[in-house]
Structures are given as structure tokens and as C-alpha cells.
């Protein structure tokens, strides 16, 4: 499955792979973010699900979720933006100093727009996507709306988070592969159109900002956090590096940019989505921004040699630019995985498949087959005794395991089926029927 | 405060007044037509020679929106000089200078040299006059210069002034060497050093 997700763009049965992807066990589903550089539409779906914009447990509600999201965005835009911006004649004095009067609100909104525009004018100017005037106008509107409904707050950097969310939405929608619009399992993908970009981007930005905003709003805490990373976390994880940084007497100012922008300026823009996969994964997993601290340490470790050898000026020069702008996507993945390892996520929470793989490394194929056959037997029993869902889930898991464990999995699967006592007669026919039904959802297995 | 061989300079001022452009012009002698907004801080350095002695100027470029904020202490802390930039084409950036000066006096080094700089004097749409700015500088007892990061005009003069004044601050009894970071005219623009 992972292999097919990795090569999704070239897959001839994209819709089937997608169905299996969204049907995966939740933990495995989000683990994919760390193992695979996903197709833009799949990435968008994974992000929306991670933040609960799409129902985490029930994909059948996604079309409804997306419809609701669109309606909410339309309402917000109308009531909070357009109505506020175009104040009609009212029988009142526009100069009356009422904080919440319509003219004052309009004035604040226009000031906010001007302030944001100053930053939008300078947004990733070397990138074609962000230089496009329509895209800039959309990003400006999204940033303004978000700031306006949050008490007109705006801090430099928020516009970059919004911009990258907008790009994720545009890419996800543009790469939509839907062909069978009538297929109920895929129906939600009909909402991934140009018309949906704004509300998808807005919801995504809002979700990410709900995690990140404390880094913008509370300077004292931000200062403390920067100190803790340099003086406590780094000391705990890499004492020599911590000592070297103290010896260089490095200011931690650059960490403001790293943390607030979720490291988006520290790598090439085209690599940001891959890096954010890990960040979104960590938000979903932990419900906090703690992973960012480990990312800082991992970034330091990536430049360990330069830090240990370089002088203050050389190091500060390195930090003032794009720190990992010179490394490719593999390197970025390694830095992110390194941060996960430092955080202990990889050690403690392996997926079921990973655990089984590890446990069966030195096991004979016949033993594995026997174990799998028992699993499938149990799955079929459950199915026949009325626990259809549980039974089918078990059979699908066996199929997934086989895919990972044995290259020629289709043949192996039939072997397993035979050894589980369904080798002939009506039993076999019924078993095959059930198994086929289960596997019709599983990409890579023909019916 | 650092010795005169190593001078920390912090650039502050409202958003998009040209802080980064001034430092880029001084350090690299170029103007970046596609700048990005500064988030957090940026560090740059330049080594100059004063009377055959090497002086390293460390420039901390800050984000304009960090005004009044606790994080600003990180930038001002131990700065020998502060360049307070406003945009001569935007009155609000000039009006905000009083707040900035208050902030600097409250959080910065009491002996830091403060230079108020009106940037973008090459632009036709000037709204802040020289007289207005000079009056404010006199009231607040800070130095005052006008410059253009785009053309390079007077950018070096700002740093000449800073190096001289830092020398005076640090060695009040010694004879101060007049500093001249030369401006050379290239084909298009003035150029530092």
C-alpha cells in the first residue's frame, strides 16, 4: 500500500488506492504522513482529517463536512467582511467615537487590510505561484478575514502560514483525480473544485493558527520557550552542542522566525509541504506544538559540523539565511524524522504493521503463513457469526500484512486461504466471496 | 556595551520603511527589488577600517511589527547604536517615531547612540519634510539623517556617524578619529566602501 501511495500519481487505479487510503486504520492513515510524500489531493485530505475539518472516524460524512465548511465560509465572508466593509448610510454620526460602531469597525478593517497588504507585496516574491496577482489577492483576503474575526489581530508571519495553506488547497484541488462522480465513497471529492479553494484554505489556516497563534500572541512565553529549547532541551539531547552554542553566546532571535513560520523559510518553498506533513502529524498526535522544539534541535544537529567548527559570525550568517535551503527532500525528511526520534514518537508508537514486521524478521515463511491463516480463519468466523465489520477488518489487515511481508502476495494469500481450511467446496466459495468483498476496497487486489 | 572594534547596531522602525534595504545596501552595496518581510531578526556584519584599525559592525535587523513588544529587548540588548528608520512618503511611520524612541529609552542601553533616518528620499511623493524631522530629532535629542537605500545616497554617512559617536561614547577623553566610510559612485548608484 505504501508503495502504491508513493507512486500514486502514476497509478492507473487511483480511485481504488484512494478508497483504501481513506479506509485505513486511523493510526496507519496518519502514519502515512511520515512515511510517504503524498499526492497533493491525498495530502490535503490527510490535513483536513487531521484537524477534524473532515470527520476523523467516518469518511461517509466528508461530503457533508465540506458542504458545511463552504457554507460557513460564505457566511463569515458576507457577515464579517463585506457587510463590515461596505457600511451603508445610517442615521448616525460617523465621527462618533463608538468602539463598536459600524464606521469605526470599517476603519479598523481598512487599516488592517493596508497593513497586511504591505507584507503581501513582499510575499515569496521569487516564487511564480505567489507572484501571481490573483493568488496574492486571495491570500490577502484570507489573511484579512482571519485576522478580522480574531479581533483584528495581525502579526507578520501569519500571512505566510495562510499563503502556504492556500497553496496546499490549490494544489490539492488542481490534482483532483476523480472520474466516477457517482461513486458514493468518492462523492466528497466532487467538492474539491476551484470554487472550494478559499474555504478549504481558510479552514486549514484557521486550524494551523489555532496551534501556532500562542507563539505570536504571548511574547513572554515565546521568550521562555526559546530559552528552554537552547538551555534545557538541547542540553538534555545534545550536551556538546548546547555547550558550543553557549560558548558562541548565540542570540536566539532567529528562533522566532523558525517557530512562528513553522520553518517555512528554512527550506525551499517546494519542500515545505513535505516538512509540514510531519508537523501536522505531530499536531494530530499530541495536540500540541512540542514537536517544533525538537525540530529546532534536529535543525541544529543537521548543521552540527558547522556549529562546532564555525565562529560566531559564520554561524549567525548561516542562521540569518535559509538554513536548509541547500538540501533536498530526502534530507528534509531525515531532519523531520530525526525530530520525531528525539521526541520519542518513533520508539513508542510503532504501527501494528511495523510491530509485526519487526517480530517476524527471523521467522520462517511457513510460520508466518500459519499465523496469517489463523487470523483469516478468525476473521471469517467473526464474519459468519454476524460480526461482519470486525471480521472484514481482520481479513483486510491480513491482506495488508501480506502485501508488506510477501512480494507475490496474491498467490500467497490464496495459499493462506487454503491452509486456513477453506480449500474446497461451498466453504471455499463462501470464504472467497467474503474475502473478495473485503479486498475490493483494498487497492492492489483485483476482484 | 561592546568595544569600538565590535559595534552592535540594531535597525528598528515600522513595517516596510526599508530597514532591511538599508542594511543590505550598506553590507552588500545592492538593492533587493524582491524583499521579504523580516520575521524575528536577521544578523549581518561588515568590517571596516578606521585609522587602520579593524572595526566590525554587527547589524541586527528587526521585524517592524515587533514594536512595543517584549521580544524587542532581544534586539536592543547591548546595542551600541540604534538606527530608527521611517519612510518619508508615509506620515504614520514618522508619527510612530515617538513611540519607538520611548521604547528604546525604556528597554535599550541608556548610552546607545540613536540615529533617526528618513528613508526613500528618492521617491517623488514625499510627505515628511526635513524641517519636521529635524525638529523632532532636536526635541528627542537624537541624531538625524536622510537616506535612500534604493540609490545608496547617504547610507554610508549613517554608519560614519555611528562609528564616530560610539568612539566618543566609549573614549570620551581621547581624540576621535574622523570616520569616512567612502561612498563611490558606480554606474547607477552610490556605493559604500
Amino acid at each position: 500500500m505504501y508503495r502504491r501511495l508513493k507512486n500514486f500519481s502514476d497509478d492507473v487505479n487511483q480511485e481504488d488506492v484512494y478508497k483504501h487510503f481513506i479506509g485505513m486504520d486511523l493510526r496507519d492513515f496518519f502514519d502515512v504522513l511520515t512515511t510517504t510524500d503524498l499526492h497533493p489531493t491525498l495530502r490535503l485530505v490527510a490535513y483536513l482529517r487531521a484537524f477534524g475539518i473532515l470527520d476523523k472516524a467516518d469518511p461517509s460524512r466528508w461530503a457533508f463536512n465540506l458542504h458545511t465548511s463552504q457554507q460557513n465560509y460564505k457566511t463569515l465572508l458576507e457577515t464579517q467582511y463585506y457587510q463590515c466593509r461596505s457600511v451603508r448610510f445610517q442615521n448616525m454620526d460617523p465621527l462618533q467615537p463608538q468602539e463598536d460602531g459600524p464606521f469605526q469597525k470599517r476603519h479598523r478593517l481598512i487599516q488592517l487590510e493596508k497593513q497586511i497588504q504591505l507584507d503581501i507585496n513582499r510575499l515569496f516574491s521569487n516564487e511564480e505561484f505567489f507572484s501571481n496577482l490573483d493568488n496574492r489577492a486571495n491570500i490577502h483576503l484570507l489573511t484579512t478575514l482571519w485576522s478580522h474575526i480574531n479581533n483584528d489581530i495581525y502579526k507578520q508571519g501569519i500571512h505566510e502560514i495562510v499563503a502556504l495553506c492556500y497553496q496546499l488547497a490549490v494544489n490539492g484541488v488542481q490534482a483532483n483525480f476523480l472520474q466516477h462522480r457517482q461513486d458514493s465513497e468518492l462523492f466528497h471529492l466532487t467538492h474539491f473544485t476551484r470554487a472550494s479553494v478559499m474555504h478549504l484554505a481558510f479552514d486549514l489556516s484557521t486550524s494551523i493558527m489555532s496551534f501556532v497563534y500562542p507563539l505570536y500572541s504571548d511574547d513572554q512565553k515565546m521568550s521562555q520557550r526559546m530559552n528552554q529549547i537552547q538551555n534545557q532541551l538541547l542540553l538534555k539531547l545534545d550536551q556538546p552542542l548546547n555547550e558550543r552554542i553557549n560558548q558562541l553566546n548565540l542570540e536566539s532571535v532567529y528562533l522566532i522566525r523558525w517557530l512562528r513560520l513553522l520553518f517555512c523559510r528554512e527550506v525551499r518553498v517546494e519542500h515545505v509541504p513535505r516538512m509540514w506533513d510531519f508537523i501536522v502529524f505531530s499536531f494530530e498526535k499530541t495536540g500540541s506544538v512540542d514537536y517544533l522544539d525538537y525540530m529546532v534541535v534536529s535543525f541544529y544537529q543537521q548543521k552540527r559540523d558547522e556549529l562546532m567548527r564555525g565562529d560566531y559570525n559564520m554561524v549567525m550568517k548561516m542562521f540569518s539565511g535559509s538554513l536548509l535551503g541547500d538540501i533536498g527532500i530526502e534530507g528534509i525528511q531525515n531532519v523531520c524524522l530525526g525530530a520525531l526520534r528525539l521526541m520519542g514518537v518513533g520508539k513508542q508508537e510503532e504501527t501494528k504493521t511495523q510491530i509485526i514486521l519487526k517480530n517476524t524478521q527471523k521467522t520462517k515463511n511457513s510460520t508466518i503463513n500459519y499465523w496469517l491463516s489463523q487470523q483469516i480463519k478468525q476473521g471469517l468466523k467473526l464474519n459468519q457469526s454476524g460480526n461482519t465489520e470486525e471480521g472484514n477488518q481482520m481479513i483486510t489487515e491480513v491482506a495488508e500484512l501480506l502485501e508488506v511481508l510477501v512480494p507475490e502476495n496474491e498467490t500467497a494469500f490464496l495459499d493462506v486461504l487454503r491452509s486456513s481450511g477453506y480449500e474446497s467446496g461451498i466453504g471455499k466459495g463462501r470464504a472467497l466471496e467474503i474475502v473478495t468483498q473485503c479486498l475490493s476496497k483494498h487497492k492492489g487486489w483485483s476482484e | 556595551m561592546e568595544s569600538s572594534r565590535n559595534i552592535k547596531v540594531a535597525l528598528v522602525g515600522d513595517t516596510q520603511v526599508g530597514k532591511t534595504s538599508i542594511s543590505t545596501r550598506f553590507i552588500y552595496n545592492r538593492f533587493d527589488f524582491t524583499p521579504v518581510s523580516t520575521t524575528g531578526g536577521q544578523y549581518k556584519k561588515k568590517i571596516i577600517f578606521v585609522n587602520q584599525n579593524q572595526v566590525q559592525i554587527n547589524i541586527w535587523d528587526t521585524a517592524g511589527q515587533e514594536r512595543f513588544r517584549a521580544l524587542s529587548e532581544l534586539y536592543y540588548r547591548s546595542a551600541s547604536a540604534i538606527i530608527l528608520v521611517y519612510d518619508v512618503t508615509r506620515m504614520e511611520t514618522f508619527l510612530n517615531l515617538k513611540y519607538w524612541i520611548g521604547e528604546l529609552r525604556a528597554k535599550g542601553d541608556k548610552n546607545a547612540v540613536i540615529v533617526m533616518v528618513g528613508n526613500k528620499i528618492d521617491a517623488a511623493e514625499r510627505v515628511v519634510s526635513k524641517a519636521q524631522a529635524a525638529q523632532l530629532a532636536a526635541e528627542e535629542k537624537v541624531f538625524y539623517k536622510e537616506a535612500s537605500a534604493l540609490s545608496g545616497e547617504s547610507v554610508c554617512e549613517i554608519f560614519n556617524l555611528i562609528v564616530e559617536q560610539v568612539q566618543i561614547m566609549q573614549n570620551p577623553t581621547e581624540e576621535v578619529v574622523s570616520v569616512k566610510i567612502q561612498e563611490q559612485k558606480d554606474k547607477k548608484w552610490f556605493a559604500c566602501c
Side-chain angles (χ1 to χ4, degrees):
Chain A
M1 189 61 201
Y2 293 103
R3 199 172 55 243
R4 300 198 68 169
L5 284 172
K6 193 178 170 189
N7 301 321
F8 186 86
S9 299
D10 303 321
D11 203 296
V12 288
N13 294 314
Q14 287 181 321
E15 290 178 336
D16 291 339
V17 178
Y18 177 74
K19 281 184 194 174
H20 180 69
F21 172 61
I22 62 174
M24 284 167 87
D25 173 75
L26 264 186
R27 206 170 78 177
D28 291 342
F29 176 87
F30 291 119
D31 278 347
V32 171
L33 282 170
T34 65
T35 57
T36 316
D37 186 9
L38 285 170
H39 176 274
T41 310
L42 273 58
R43 171 174 283 126
L44 181 60
V45 168
Y47 282 23
L48 295 172
R49 193 181 196 181
F51 291 121
I53 298 161
L54 297 177
D55 193 309
K56 273 194 184 175
D58 186 2
S60 69
R61 289 179 54 80
W62 288 2
F64 171 73
N65 295 151
L66 290 166
H67 177 73
T68 310
S69 156
Q70 188 166 29
Q71 292 306 310
N72 289 345
Y73 175 75
K74 273 185 184 171
T75 308
L76 266 181
L77 194 63
E78 182 56 38
T79 58
Q80 302 291 320
Y81 182 77
Y82 288 124
Q83 281 182 16
C84 183
R85 210 177 185 294
S86 50
V87 181
R88 291 169 193 274
F89 173 77
Q90 296 187 24
N91 191 16
M92 64 177 289
D93 179 4
L95 299 177
Q96 203 176 356
Q98 275 180 321
E99 270 301 299
D100 56 349
F103 293 105
Q104 281 71 23
K105 277 187 184 171
R106 179 177 182 274
H107 176 71
R108 280 203 302 272
L109 177 60
I110 290 172
Q111 290 304 312
L112 180 69
E113 279 187 316
K114 281 183 185 171
Q115 195 186 4
I116 292 169
Q117 189 62 53
L118 291 175
D119 290 331
I120 298 289
N121 292 342
R122 303 182 283 172
L123 177 71
F124 301 125
S125 304
N126 294 323
E127 300 293 323
E128 197 182 335
F129 179 87
F130 294 107
S131 301
N132 177 290
L133 292 180
D134 289 338
N135 289 340
R136 284 195 168 188
N138 288 338
I139 294 164
H140 182 247
L141 178 61
L142 289 167
T143 313
T144 305
L145 182 61
W146 182 87
S147 302
H148 183 56
I149 62 170
N150 288 285
N151 300 319
D152 291 332
I153 48 166
Y154 171 70
K155 303 278 185 311
Q156 285 178 315
I158 291 173
H159 69 300
E160 289 184 38
I161 301 276
V162 173
L164 290 161
C165 289
Y166 174 77
Q167 191 186 34
L168 282 164
V170 169
N171 290 345
V173 160
Q174 277 178 349
N176 191 354
F177 48 85
L178 178 67
Q179 288 180 332
H180 297 92
R181 300 172 65 86
Q182 290 79 16
D183 189 328
S184 61
E185 286 181 74
L186 301 172
F187 181 68
H188 60 269
L189 287 176
T190 59
H191 287 267
F192 280 22
T193 61
R194 278 300 292 178
S196 304
V197 165
M198 291 299 272
H199 76 86
L200 292 171
F202 183 76
D203 279 354
L204 208 50
S205 310
T206 305
S207 301
I208 291 183
M209 283 312 300
S210 68
F211 281 92
V212 182
Y213 189 67
L215 301 175
Y216 285 86
S217 60
D218 193 333
D219 284 349
Q220 297 290 355
K221 278 192 182 163
M222 181 68 174
S223 258
Q224 282 169 10
R225 190 179 200 102
M226 283 151 57
N227 275 329
Q228 275 168 1
I229 295 171
Q230 299 247 117
N231 301 321
Q232 291 175 26
L233 190 64
L234 190 60
L235 176 69
K236 186 176 133 195
L237 298 170
D238 194 337
Q239 193 177 346
L241 203 51
N242 166 265
E243 283 167 2
R244 177 64 182 152
I245 281 174
N246 285 338
Q247 189 188 3
L248 286 169
N249 201 15
L250 283 180
E251 311 259 6
S252 54
V253 168
Y254 47 85
L255 286 189
I256 304 171
R257 187 184 72 216
W258 290 15
L259 295 167
R260 282 187 178 173
L261 300 184
L262 299 177
F263 302 88
C264 76
R265 290 238 195 116
E266 312 318 313
V267 300
R268 289 206 289 273
V269 173
E270 65 265 30
H271 293 155
V272 171
R274 186 69 195 108
M275 182 175 61
W276 278 17
D277 288 349
F278 291 83
I279 294 174
V280 170
F281 168 81
S282 74
F283 285 173
E284 196 279 333
K285 200 118 195 147
T286 64
S288 75
V289 289
D290 292 351
Y291 176 67
L292 302 181
D293 300 358
Y294 293 89
M295 284 274 281
V296 172
V297 176
S298 194
F299 267 60
Y300 278 146
Q301 289 183 330
Q302 180 69 22
K303 293 287 177 186
R304 202 170 195 287
D305 289 346
E306 290 91 330
L307 277 166
M308 296 306 272
R309 281 189 281 107
D311 63 7
Y312 177 83
N313 290 319
M314 185 222 140
V315 170
M316 284 312 298
K317 191 177 176 190
M318 188 169 79
F319 283 157
S320 65
S322 174
L323 191 69
L324 302 186
D326 57 341
I327 68 170
I329 200 155
E330 295 286 331
I332 304 287
Q333 283 175 180
N334 288 337
V335 171
C336 297
L337 282 169
L340 276 185
R341 275 194 297 274
L342 290 170
M343 199 176 174
V345 169
K347 286 176 209 158
Q348 289 162 6
E349 297 189 43
E350 289 173 314
T351 63
K352 201 188 290 180
T353 309
Q354 283 170 334
I355 293 166
I356 292 170
L357 270 176
K358 203 158 69 180
N359 293 341
T360 54
Q361 263 174 4
K362 290 180 182 172
T363 313
K364 286 180 185 171
N365 270 352
S366 58
T367 314
I368 296 172
N369 279 359
Y370 176 74
W371 183 82
L372 290 170
S373 71
Q374 294 308 304
Q375 294 289 302
I376 208 164
K377 207 169 178 177
Q378 205 181 332
L380 284 164
K381 256 186 195 167
L382 282 167
N383 185 300
Q384 282 159 356
S385 64
N387 293 327
T388 321
E389 203 174 313
E390 203 181 332
N392 290 358
Q393 177 68 28
M394 213 160 181
I395 296 165
T396 311
E397 276 175 14
V398 174
E400 283 175 0
L401 278 168
L402 269 167
E403 191 176 17
V404 181
L405 289 165
V406 193
E408 296 298 325
N409 47 48
E410 220 159 335
T411 319
F413 187 84
L414 291 173
D415 286 343
V416 168
L417 193 62
R418 266 195 289 276
S419 58
S420 58
Y422 292 90
E423 55 277 326
S424 64
I426 298 169
K428 182 188 174 187
R430 175 70 188 132
L432 271 176
E433 192 187 328
I434 295 165
V435 169
T436 309
Q437 277 171 5
C438 291
L439 300 188
S440 63
K441 289 183 180 176
H442 181 68
K443 183 74 189 133
W445 291 73
S446 51
E447 288 186 36
Chain B
M1 201 182 287
E2 294 165 82
S3 75
S4 58
R5 289 177 179 278
N6 214 344
I7 299 174
K8 176 176 174 181
V9 180
L11 272 154
V12 296
D14 276 8
T15 305
Q16 219 181 358
V17 292
K19 298 180 291 298
T20 305
S21 297
I22 286 175
S23 65
T24 304
R25 169 60 75 187
F26 177 63
I27 302 284
Y28 307 114
N29 187 27
R30 64 177 164 79
F31 183 81
D32 190 355
F33 285 92
T34 56
V36 291
S37 57
T38 308
T39 302
Q42 275 196 339
Y43 167 84
K44 293 168 187 162
K45 67 154 186 170
K46 180 161 183 150
I47 293 169
I48 59 166
F49 289 89
V50 178
N51 198 22
Q52 295 177 329
N53 291 322
Q54 185 175 296
V55 175
Q56 180 172 307
I57 302 182
N58 302 313
I59 301 178
W60 277 94
D61 181 11
T62 67
Q65 244 211 341
E66 297 300 340
R67 186 160 52 120
F68 320 130
R69 307 193 68 80
L71 287 172
S72 52
E73 283 178 54
L74 283 170
Y75 311 123
Y76 312 147
R77 198 167 53 203
S78 73
S80 312
I82 292 157
I83 302 176
L84 178 52
V85 188
Y86 69 96
D87 176 353
V88 298
T89 68
R90 282 164 57 212
M91 181 56 83
E92 74 273 16
T93 66
F94 175 72
L95 297 176
N96 285 335
L97 289 178
K98 280 205 168 193
Y99 294 102
W100 277 111
I101 292 169
E103 175 82 352
L104 299 176
R105 296 243 157 93
K107 293 180 177 168
D109 189 317
K110 297 283 179 280
N111 296 320
V113 175
I114 300 178
V115 184
M116 197 174 103
V117 174
N119 188 29
K120 307 191 188 180
I121 54 170
D122 53 88
E125 322 80 54
R126 181 183 184 121
V127 294
V128 183
S129 71
K130 263 188 174 181
Q132 273 176 297
Q135 190 185 341
L136 178 65
E139 282 170 13
E140 296 291 344
K141 298 184 177 60
V142 296
F143 295 96
Y144 164 57
K145 288 276 177 193
E146 289 200 334
S148 164
L150 175 67
S151 68
E153 188 180 342
S154 299
V155 171
C156 286
E157 281 181 25
I158 301 165
F159 291 90
N160 288 343
L161 176 67
I162 285 172
V163 177
E164 271 181 13
Q165 291 304 318
V166 171
Q167 277 186 326
I168 292 170
M169 279 287 180
Q170 292 176 346
N171 306 302
T173 55
E174 286 178 23
E175 188 186 346
V176 173
V177 177
S178 176
V179 179
K180 178 70 177 164
I181 305 169
Q182 288 181 344
E183 286 181 348
Q184 303 164 343
K185 279 187 184 175
D186 63 14
K187 281 178 190 169
K188 282 182 181 173
W189 312 113
F190 288 93
C192 292
C193 309

